[in-house]
Amino acid sequence: MAEEVKKSRPAPDPNSAKFKLGQIAAKAYSDAMEAKKRGEKIGWCASNFPVEIPATLGLYVCYPENQAAGIAARGGGERMCNVSEGDGYSNDICAYARISLAYAKLKEAPEQDMPMPDFMLCCNNICNCMIKWYENIAKELNIPMIMIDIPFNPDYEVSDAETEYIKAQFWDAIHQLEEITGKKWTDEQFKKVMEYSGRASRAWIEATSQAKYVPSPFNGFDLLNHMAVMVTARGTAQAGDAMETLLKEYIDNHEKGVSTFRAEEKYRIMFEGIACWPWLRVTSTGLKSRGINMVTTIYADAFGFIYDDFDGMCRAYANVPNCMNLEHSRDKRVKLCRENHVEGLLVHTNRSCKLWSGFMPEMSRQIGEACGIPVTSFDGDQADPRNFSEAQYDTRVQGLMEIMEANKGGNE
Amino acid sequence: MKGKELLAQLHEAASSPKKQLEKYLAQGKKVVAVAPVYTPNEIIHSMGLVPMGVWGADVEINEAKKYFPAFICSIMQTALELGIKGEYDGVSAIVIPSLCDSLKCLGQNWKYAVKNIPFIPMTYPQNRKPDYGKKFTKAGYARVISDLTIATGAQFSEFALAESIKVYNEHNAVMREFAEIAADADITAAARNDVFKSAWFMLPEEHTAIVKKLNEALKAGPKAKGKLRVLVTGILADSPSLLKIFDENGVKVVFDDVAHESRQYRTDVPDMENPVDAMAQKFADMGNCTLLYDPDKNRVDYIVEQAKAHKADGVIVLMTKFCDPEEFDYVPIKRACAAAGLKHLNIEVDRQMVNYQQAATMVQAFKEMF
Ligand code: SF4
Ligand code: SF4
């Protein structure tokens, strides 16, 4: 399937970041497939589960959220959601979960296949929805579930008690996995993985920060694709290499005065939320046609897994978006808005994601005030195409643009 | 006092939380609001404070819309709405656990929407059984205690906690006994709910005293006959209109797995040397709930077992709209009921429901299946 998709597009430069990143993302699936065929035990893994653990143990894992996004982007979201709904799952449930539950039942999807799991790796630092989703699959398939609980942090800093709790669970998870798979943890291997992850994270942060230039050397929609590698492969040497290539390209772009945003950049916005994968082109065109570049998202910050030791890693996983309190989440976004000269905030009120959307109205009001920028939201869903209205999106984006235009006038 | 009078007393408390709040305030007590689904009420009580439940109400949502998008459950929406509208004024603080994604959001919104009532987070671990989990539960309690002291000036002592634990364990036992007696006694679904609902607005010792007497009266009273016996499961089952439909159709609640009702009373605080350790052990021992990590889906088996133990003819799932944890559990529950030969009915409920016609039709049709 991956090959078919590639054939239909012009052959990209094999030395380009885009090609390298695409390869890594595709290889993550094919490697897991092959490992499964060899008889190795495969895991399904939550996107913000500490990948250092399976990476150090040399385990192959797949990411249901990434798969669901792929299926949705290629038009299969509604079909898969219908399968789950047919089984009795409410359409209020996160569409990633609905797609994943459908895949666990059907065991195939032409848009993106992945091997069936032998164990589930769950981490609820992004949402508790994840717990129920993984519980159901683990029970249904009768496989073990490893649960790392990183509770929503009501405070700004991660407390010692929380770090200790997370650390104990990390070790527990490592030992359980050793038992399940027969693989062994070594500190030397962990050190290597930590370095890879740090290298990829540093390059990612640096690359995304190139949006500080006006115009930005890239179209922020690129990040939505590239971040797949940060999710699935940040513990590998290849990821670091590809991210450094990306950084280099963005620096070059800036020096040459070019950009992957192929239009005149008239306005710069921050996009808040997960992409509407089924409507990616529509949402992207709606901005580009107006000269609006989405220069940053919280993802620019989210994959900054930079730490020096095991404790640092524990804290890093408690500092992911959706796990931080309103003030901490807000300040991270305010910083991104300021550093990247953002003129407006476009918020995706994501029907699938209660946690991401549940305090967004207040938080985005505060961001707007702190940065003196207009804030607009639209209704959508990251994977169920039925929850998005093109007309509403268009009206809202137009409205945002008009305020940004008026603000420019006011400043002159 | 006769059963009827006792029930009337509980009905009064269940339907006028504001009056209860004012009563306690007039007695010079400080009241602490507690949000769903679990909070360390024994600790709050031991500090001389009155915990009162905040599960929203059947009201329209206006102000809360500025904070919550429409797809958050109506319990969270209306709890915030009432907070904004000043219904809880006089309360010293609110303790909100983060057991589901919507509860996490309630805490964050509360800080800005209801500035006069301080938000106290209670962070429970999902891996609550291992020693490291219990240790983290205790860290959560310590946080609540220190925030309560700041908000109210009340002090904590282990001695007082040990006393409160006794009060709560006794209340648990009395409530469990009530649920069993009510399975066969001639009591309406509405009255049964009053008993559970009133518990959220009364001091446990006061509630225990009334329910004890009620249990005696019900034991001596007539038994229900010719009813369709059901186990009800869900987060909340307090809608008067819905309960009326049950009663009008001869549907008898013989047991419940409702978060607002029996789930609260299943687990006692064990007898241990240190009462805070004992509290953490209680949380570790809890289970059979959608909000507590349950990889074996024990809750599903529990529902089937309890339905059988109480000779239920069927199971009614009251699905709170937009409650994703419960929506996930529904499918395994549905399958387990089918496998056990138990008929089930799924009714979606929320606090803004005005038209119960559909629910009535569903209940009637369900009844006809037997
Ligand atoms: S979209 Fe939201 S609810 Fe769904 S898996 Fe991601 S974080 Fe969880
Ligand atoms: S009803 Fe469900 S979604 Fe709402 S607060 Fe309770 S558990 Fe959370």
Side-chain angles (χ1 to χ4, degrees):
Chain A
M1 176 62 213
E3 277 140 340
E4 277 168 35
V5 170
K6 251 173 262 146
K7 266 182 213 153
S8 63
R9 293 178 189 159
D13 172 1
N15 291 319
S16 69
K18 190 175 174 187
F19 183 81
K20 286 184 184 176
L21 290 163
Q23 287 292 83
I24 295 171
K27 201 166 168 294
Y29 285 102
S30 57
D31 282 353
M33 284 282 194
E34 278 163 28
K36 179 83 184 181
K37 276 192 205 131
R38 284 196 302 273
E40 285 191 40
K41 292 210 155 98
I42 295 299
W44 280 10
C45 184
S47 66
N48 277 284
F49 187 92
V51 292
E52 289 81 350
I53 293 177
T56 302
L57 290 167
L59 301 176
Y60 291 92
V61 294
C62 294
Y63 295 84
E65 291 152 82
N66 186 258
Q67 179 199 32
I71 290 174
R74 293 171 199 134
E78 187 169 347
R79 187 188 79 250
M80 297 295 268
C81 286
N82 280 332
V83 170
S84 291
E85 287 162 32
D87 281 340
Y89 286 106
S90 162
N91 64 3
D92 295 331
I93 289 176
C94 165
Y96 280 176
R98 274 179 284 151
I99 292 173
S100 182
L101 287 158
Y103 188 82
K105 177 186 181 184
L106 303 173
K107 303 180 173 55
E108 59 180 6
E111 296 86 0
Q112 179 66 66
D113 269 324
M114 79 187 189
M116 293 304 285
D118 300 291
F119 53 88
M120 303 294 285
L121 300 181
C122 183
C123 184
N124 63 332
N125 51 359
I126 51 166
C127 64
N128 276 20
C129 154
M130 196 65 115
I131 306 174
K132 306 314 289 178
W133 161 10
Y134 277 45
E135 271 179 7
N136 282 18
I137 291 183
K139 179 74 183 172
E140 197 68 32
L141 302 178
N142 193 22
I143 54 173
M145 168 163 171
I146 289 164
M147 168 77 204
I148 291 183
D149 170 39
I150 303 190
F152 183 85
N153 183 6
D155 300 313
Y156 209 94
E157 303 295 340
V158 182
S159 69
D160 290 344
E162 180 161 0
T163 309
E164 210 184 303
Y165 172 54
I166 296 169
K167 189 172 163 181
Q169 294 181 83
F170 278 18
W171 283 114
D172 212 349
I174 291 165
H175 296 140
Q176 287 179 65
L177 280 169
E178 284 181 333
E179 196 121 302
I180 293 169
T181 65
K183 306 250 170 131
K184 281 274 159 275
W185 175 274
T186 69
D187 288 338
E188 299 85 85
Q189 191 55 27
F190 171 61
K191 239 180 125 193
K192 250 191 233 163
V193 169
M194 185 168 83
E195 274 162 26
Y196 294 151
S197 168
R199 184 179 159 206
S201 296
R202 272 187 291 274
W204 168 261
I205 289 181
E206 200 49 32
T208 56
S209 77
Q210 299 306 308
K212 65 189 172 205
Y213 295 116
V214 183
S216 164
F218 65 88
N219 179 346
F221 273 79
D222 298 353
L223 303 182
L224 300 176
N225 285 317
H226 300 337
M227 72 178 214
V229 169
M230 287 310 289
V231 174
T232 62
R234 62 178 180 275
T236 66
Q238 296 84 342
D241 175 57
M243 287 303 162
E244 281 165 8
T245 310
L246 184 70
L247 168 62
K248 195 173 163 294
E249 285 178 6
Y250 287 173
I251 292 174
D252 285 352
N253 281 359
H254 167 65
E255 280 165 4
K256 290 189 200 128
V258 294
S259 173
T260 59
F261 184 71
R262 309 216 188 279
E264 186 198 342
E265 183 183 284
K266 292 193 206 146
Y267 314 96
R268 301 161 62 88
I269 62 161
M270 174 165 184
F271 183 89
E272 181 55 57
I274 307 178
C276 288
W277 294 112
W279 297 96
L280 198 60
R281 182 158 305 156
V282 170
T283 46
S284 154
T285 310
L287 297 179
K288 204 165 81 180
S289 63
R290 294 179 170 91
I292 302 174
N293 190 7
M294 177 257 250
V295 290
T296 194
T297 94
I298 191 63
Y299 292 121
D301 176 272
F303 296 106
F305 291 102
I306 301 168
Y307 49 83
D308 303 318
D309 53 23
F310 204 89
D311 281 24
M313 176 170 78
C314 296
R315 270 190 298 274
Y317 279 94
N319 272 327
V320 301
N322 276 16
C323 200
M324 292 180 280
N325 72 2
L326 187 148
E327 296 75 25
H328 199 177
S329 304
R330 172 199 66 203
D331 292 352
K332 284 202 175 274
R333 286 156 169 96
V334 167
K335 184 166 177 275
L336 285 169
C337 285
R338 289 196 175 132
E339 285 173 356
N340 297 301
H341 316 290
V342 163
E343 299 164 274
L345 178 62
L346 183 60
V347 176
H348 173 196
T349 303
N350 184 348
R351 179 75 155 67
S352 268
C353 196
K354 294 184 167 49
L355 185 48
W356 206 320
S357 302
F359 60 88
M360 189 53 72
E362 176 60 23
M363 180 161 86
S364 55
R365 265 193 297 276
Q366 294 188 17
I367 298 168
E369 273 167 34
C371 300
I373 56 171
V375 177
T376 302
S377 68
F378 69 94
D379 299 316
D381 191 294
Q382 89 270 19
D384 186 338
R386 293 166 292 191
N387 295 329
F388 173 84
S389 145
E390 212 173 327
Q392 190 214 44
Y393 181 77
D394 207 61
T395 316
R396 300 285 170 90
V397 170
Q398 179 67 22
L400 180 67
M401 188 197 82
E402 284 164 13
I403 305 172
M404 291 192 291
E405 181 58 35
N407 285 352
K408 279 183 201 288
N411 291 341
E412 268 160 22
Chain B
M1 230 189 279
K2 285 211 211 80
K4 253 200 184 133
E5 288 160 33
L6 295 162
L7 283 171
Q9 219 178 324
L10 295 176
H11 175 76
E12 172 70 17
S15 39
S16 49
K18 190 107 194 241
K19 252 202 209 153
Q20 288 293 112
L21 169 63
E22 279 157 8
K23 183 185 99 183
Y24 288 123
L25 294 177
Q27 292 171 3
K29 295 197 166 79
K30 287 189 175 159
V31 175
V32 172
V34 292
V37 171
Y38 305 113
T39 41
N41 295 358
E42 294 89 339
I43 290 177
I44 300 169
H45 179 270
S46 76
M47 295 172 75
L49 308 163
V50 183
M52 274 183 81
V54 161
W55 291 70
D58 295 349
V59 295
E60 237 183 84
I61 304 164
N62 299 308
E63 297 301 314
K65 283 185 190 159
K66 291 182 195 145
Y67 296 89
F68 280 131
F71 47 84
I72 301 293
C73 75
S74 57
I75 299 177
M76 297 292 91
Q77 303 262 12
T78 55
L80 190 65
E81 181 79 19
L82 296 175
I84 298 172
K85 294 236 172 92
E87 278 295 307
Y88 306 133
D89 283 2
V91 162
S92 300
I94 182 168
V95 180
I96 306 176
S98 51
L99 288 162
C100 78
D101 293 331
S102 306
L103 277 161
K104 297 174 191 175
C105 298
L106 176 67
Q108 297 309 302
N109 284 328
W110 192 276
K111 290 185 276 191
Y112 297 96
V114 194
K115 291 199 172 113
N116 61 330
I117 299 176
F119 156 55
I120 300 180
M122 174 62 218
T123 308
Y124 284 110
Q126 287 292 342
N127 278 320
R128 60 200 184 278
K129 292 181 192 293
D131 285 343
Y132 57 71
K134 286 183 240 169
K135 200 169 169 198
F136 189 69
T137 306
K138 288 201 305 184
Y141 293 155
R143 164 70 181 276
V144 168
I145 291 168
S146 112
D147 283 8
L148 282 172
T149 299
I150 296 168
T152 66
Q155 296 298 321
F156 172 79
S157 88
E158 287 181 1
F159 179 77
L161 177 57
E163 291 306 306
S164 290
I165 285 173
K166 284 184 207 149
V167 171
Y168 273 83
N169 279 354
E170 188 187 9
H171 187 230
N172 289 350
V174 167
M175 293 303 279
R176 287 195 296 261
E177 194 192 4
F178 166 73
E180 296 304 335
I181 295 168
D184 296 306
D186 189 17
I187 178 172
T188 62
R192 185 186 182 280
N193 175 256
D194 281 335
V195 177
F196 283 103
K197 190 167 184 174
S198 55
W200 289 101
F201 308 136
M202 289 173 81
L203 277 168
E205 49 272 45
E206 294 172 5
H207 198 253
T208 297
I210 300 177
V211 180
K212 259 188 182 170
K213 284 189 222 153
L214 176 67
N215 286 348
E216 293 313 313
L218 288 175
K219 265 196 265 180
K223 301 278 169 273
K225 277 194 207 84
K227 307 269 181 185
L228 179 70
R229 297 169 66 88
V230 299
L231 179 146
V232 174
T233 176
I235 295 291
L236 192 65
D238 76 342
S239 156
S241 310
L242 193 68
L243 295 170
K244 201 167 142 214
I245 293 171
F246 283 11
D247 288 328
E248 283 171 355
N249 286 283
V251 171
K252 172 151 186 67
V253 180
V254 294
F255 201 60
D256 77 86
D257 163 53
V258 171
H260 180 252
E261 302 183 3
S262 288
R263 278 192 219 173
Q264 299 293 327
Y265 306 109
R266 284 177 192 158
T267 317
D268 286 342
V269 183
D271 192 11
M272 285 169 73
E273 205 176 310
N274 180 301
V276 183
D277 286 343
M279 284 287 294
Q281 187 59 48
K282 173 194 174 182
F283 187 67
D285 292 343
M286 283 165 61
N288 298 332
C289 174
T290 185
L291 293 157
L292 306 173
Y293 177 45
D294 183 16
D296 298 321
K297 291 277 168 192
N298 288 327
R299 176 190 174 209
V300 176
D301 301 332
Y302 175 84
I303 289 172
V304 171
E305 279 160 23
Q306 293 302 322
K308 287 189 176 159
H310 292 88
K311 302 193 180 59
D313 302 308
V315 170
I316 294 185
V317 179
L318 290 183
M319 181 59 69
T320 295
K321 176 113 183 103
F322 298 122
C323 175
D324 58 317
E326 292 267 325
E327 287 167 346
F328 274 105
D329 274 1
Y330 170 63
V331 175
I333 290 173
K334 176 180 97 163
R335 288 179 184 156
C337 284
L342 275 168
K343 291 196 176 65
H344 88 280
L345 172 66
N346 182 12
I347 307 177
E348 194 169 79
V349 288
D350 75 40
R351 284 197 166 293
Q352 282 69 52
M353 226 155 119
V354 274
N355 186 353
Y356 282 86
Q357 195 44 52
Q358 202 192 348
T361 312
M362 285 167 87
V363 170
Q364 280 152 13
F366 186 62
K367 219 192 149 192
E368 277 159 22
M369 286 163 73
F370 293 89

